[in-house]
Amino acid sequence: MTSRTHVLLWTDSTSAYLEAVRTAGLADRVAIETLPRKERPSVEQMQRIEALMAYTVPPDLLSAMPRLRWAQAMTAGVEEWLALPDLPRHIVLTCARGTHRESMPENIVGALFYVAKPYAAAAENQKQRKWLRTVAQPLTGKTLGILGLGMIGAQVARIAATLGMRVIGTRRRPEPMANVAKILPPERTREVLAESDFVLLLLPATPETEDFMNAERLAMMKPGAWLLNFGRGHTLKDADLIAAVKAKKIAGAVLDVFRHEPLPAEHAFWSTEGIIVLPHIGGPHPQRDRFVAELFVENLGRFLDGKPLREVVDRAAGY
């Protein structure tokens, strides 16, 4: 009998992954070991593991796993993995790109409604039994600019188009995309910012995107435009955003991601009028493990058959 491939699931919730392996008919081909996130693999485990799934790993661990050939990150962002000083070149690193395809587009559209419609104000007025009619701003006919058009951006564009919005955006490879009127390379970000009523950041965290939305680029936005960041906190220069909102250079911002999480209590985002703080709720889904398990088990089958894996990380690009 052919020896089984040793796989480590380094996460606290493993039932969805084990079930996916069984359903895919791969259980007889692998020897799966599970480990809670707070624990560290034993020396014996590190010697035999050939494939690994985890949120992230500590330094000096991967280099102690001589048989490891594939690592599946459980998140779309892999900056912590790429920052590891001992990430071997021969290991194929894949990410969980696309597993937020249901929750994040819905939450982004929810943010659009939140800033355009008077529901929040009405809820506050209700506490005071105050009847104050306000006119809701339409989304129909408005332009949504998406910086970093990928899988999530494509889903947002589909919903936004249904609402009658015009969608434009930037992409590293500006190929045509359904429901997007104009796709430009990152070098033409200025045009997207100037035309958009809402600017959505879905950029990855790379050296090129560090502080990408700074005072200069914020000044390119319309005075009445809103900024929404559901990508990475490092892509936004905090102080510049606070200054722009206070000076009414833009209407405001909805932020779901931050440089430091939880957001420190003393951070000015909490108290700046016009900035809405969300506690990183854009991506989580009550069945997210099921989505990640679907990707993981497909990649596991490909790995066992020697086929190319899905969502391989481009280390040079950073995602």
Side-chain angles (χ1 to χ4, degrees):
M1 179 179 178
T2 304
S3 61
R4 298 184 179 188
T5 298
H6 288 266
V7 180
L8 176 62
L9 304 182
W10 196 356
T11 182
D12 295 331
S13 179
T14 59
S15 59
Y17 303 94
L18 296 173
E19 178 60 29
V21 170
R22 285 193 292 268
T23 302
L26 301 177
D28 291 339
R29 301 177 63 186
V30 294
I32 293 185
E33 302 179 43
T34 63
L35 189 70
R37 293 178 66 181
K38 66 180 181 180
E39 297 184 16
R40 182 181 175 93
S42 67
V43 174
E44 292 77 15
Q45 281 181 312
M46 289 192 287
Q47 290 297 311
R48 61 177 175 261
I49 294 302
E50 300 167 72
L52 163 73
M53 185 193 75
Y55 279 96
T56 187
V57 297
D60 304 323
L61 184 128
L62 297 179
S63 57
M65 304 177 78
R67 301 186 64 191
L68 184 67
R69 291 179 287 134
W70 165 46
Q72 172 72 59
M74 297 180 69
T75 57
V78 290
E79 52 267 28
E80 292 185 30
W81 288 84
L82 297 179
L84 292 170
D86 63 328
L87 181 61
R89 298 301 308 177
H90 70 273
I91 292 177
V92 178
L93 176 63
T94 56
C95 67
R97 187 183 300 118
T99 55
H100 297 308
R101 62 184 179 271
E102 282 190 10
S103 55
M104 191 172 288
E106 290 183 3
N107 283 317
I108 289 169
V109 173
L112 290 173
F113 274 98
Y114 186 90
V115 299
K117 309 300 180 182
Y119 301 136
E124 287 301 313
N125 289 334
Q126 181 178 349
K127 297 175 183 178
Q128 305 174 43
R129 301 175 184 265
K130 185 177 181 181
W131 181 278
L132 180 62
R133 298 181 65 186
T134 54
V135 179
Q137 294 299 311
L139 291 175
T140 302
K142 296 295 176 64
T143 295
L144 171 63
I146 303 177
L147 305 187
L149 275 164
M151 292 185 183
I152 300 301
Q155 291 298 317
V156 173
R158 176 182 60 80
I159 302 172
T162 302
L163 296 172
M165 301 185 75
R166 171 176 176 258
V167 181
I168 60 177
T170 63
R171 192 178 187 184
R172 190 158 61 101
R173 299 184 183 90
E175 302 163 348
M177 180 181 292
N179 304 305
V180 182
K182 181 167 60 176
I183 303 178
L184 302 173
E187 297 78 39
R188 296 176 65 182
T189 296
R190 173 187 289 271
E191 297 173 46
V192 176
L193 296 176
E195 295 181 31
S196 299
D197 300 293
F198 303 92
V199 174
L200 172 61
L201 299 183
L202 292 176
L203 297 169
T206 69
E208 290 72 26
T209 61
E210 177 78 21
D211 289 337
F212 188 82
M213 284 304 296
N214 53 20
E216 180 183 2
R217 290 194 174 94
L218 288 165
M220 298 175 187
M221 293 174 59
K222 295 180 179 180
W226 280 83
L227 178 70
L228 291 74
N229 191 8
F230 282 76
R232 289 290 181 269
H234 292 75
T235 63
L236 179 63
K237 194 165 185 179
D238 295 6
D240 288 0
L241 174 64
I242 292 167
V245 172
K246 286 184 174 180
K248 306 297 183 183
K249 292 182 178 179
I250 65 172
V254 180
L255 309 177
D256 186 56
V257 289
F258 307 90
R259 289 178 179 272
H260 303 288
E261 297 184 5
L263 184 67
E266 65 275 11
H267 199 290
F269 280 161
W270 290 111
S271 57
T272 301
E273 184 177 357
I275 292 181
I276 299 165
V277 173
L278 303 179
H280 205 143
I281 59 174
H285 188 285
Q287 298 181 11
R288 184 171 183 273
D289 278 331
R290 177 170 61 84
F291 296 130
V292 179
E294 290 174 1
L295 172 61
F296 168 72
V297 80
E298 180 179 347
N299 267 345
L300 180 59
R302 289 169 176 251
F303 179 73
L304 295 173
D305 293 337
K307 297 179 180 179
L309 305 184
R310 281 185 53 197
E311 313 308 338
V312 174
V313 173
D314 182 336
R315 298 194 189 190
Y319 56 93

